[in-house]
Amino acid sequence: MIARPEGGPRIVVGVDDSAGARCALSWAIGAARLRRLPLLVAHAAPLPPHVSAAGQLGCGITEALRGSGAELIARLLTEVSGGPPDGVELTALALVGEPGATLVRLAGDDDILVVGHGTRGAFSRLLRPSVRLHCARRARATLVCVQQPAFDTLLEGLTSRGDAPEHVSDSRFRRLGRRLRLPP
């Protein structure tokens, strides 16, 4: 477990390269600002099966996984908040291990654990278990599952503002909505 500055609660968010993780990171940054809590952004990359079966941990693969995880965290922070968020004490960790078990170990009893709610099929869940379900079953921390908004909700929020300028009705989102046969 990572030591806390004053031993108090913090917000722990698990990220990967998915839309649900981006929404979870955005929610966690806002919650950290609102509650004035430190934010721990963690990415855990599982070892490839051929590496763990062969026992080749010293061949540079773990360092490569940690390096790509650190790059991913930096890229996500840039995409979501334009870099490290202002007014938030931030710690970023790129780890090697099963994502669900790693997040459960990182989050203590008084922490808030934030994960994205992805949409995967049954076959995909057989190959790689759901991190969200693992955390829901085993985490002692308060768990927040952030689901990405539907396209219809985004479209409605962008085009149905009463105080919007005249050109919004002919925006590319409205044209896309007409192409998808969504109601105006």
Side-chain angles (χ1 to χ4, degrees), residues 34-169:
L34 181 69
R35 292 176 173 85
R36 300 179 198 271
L37 292 175
L39 176 64
L40 173 63
V41 180
H43 171 74
L47 279 174
H50 68 280
V51 173
S52 58
Q56 301 172 349
L57 294 180
C59 63
I61 292 179
T62 56
E63 291 82 17
L65 288 173
R66 284 189 188 115
S68 65
E71 291 172 7
L72 174 73
I73 291 171
R75 183 170 46 93
L76 289 177
L77 284 171
T78 301
E79 289 176 13
V80 170
S81 65
D86 296 330
V88 175
E89 181 184 335
L90 176 73
T91 305
L93 287 177
L95 304 168
V96 176
E98 289 301 317
T102 302
L103 290 174
V104 168
R105 276 194 312 269
L106 284 175
D109 291 340
D110 54 350
D111 292 337
I112 298 173
L113 177 59
V114 183
V115 294
H117 185 318
T119 55
R120 300 186 322 165
F123 185 69
S124 175
R125 282 193 303 268
L126 282 174
L127 295 176
R128 178 74 50 203
S130 171
V131 173
R132 176 183 56 89
L133 291 177
H134 183 89
C135 292
R137 290 180 184 134
R138 293 178 177 85
R140 297 177 317 221
T142 301
L143 180 66
V144 176
C145 296
V146 180
Q147 187 168 8
Q148 68 185 40
F151 179 74
D152 295 341
T153 307
L154 289 173
L155 182 67
E156 188 176 299
L158 290 172
T159 60
S160 67
R161 295 186 180 125
D163 57 346
E166 294 298 321
H167 68 278
V168 169
S169 63

Side-chain angles (χ1 to χ4, degrees), residues 10-24:
R10 63 186 173 174
I11 296 179
V12 179
V13 59
V15 295
D16 60 4
D17 198 12
S18 68
R22 285 174 178 80
C23 292

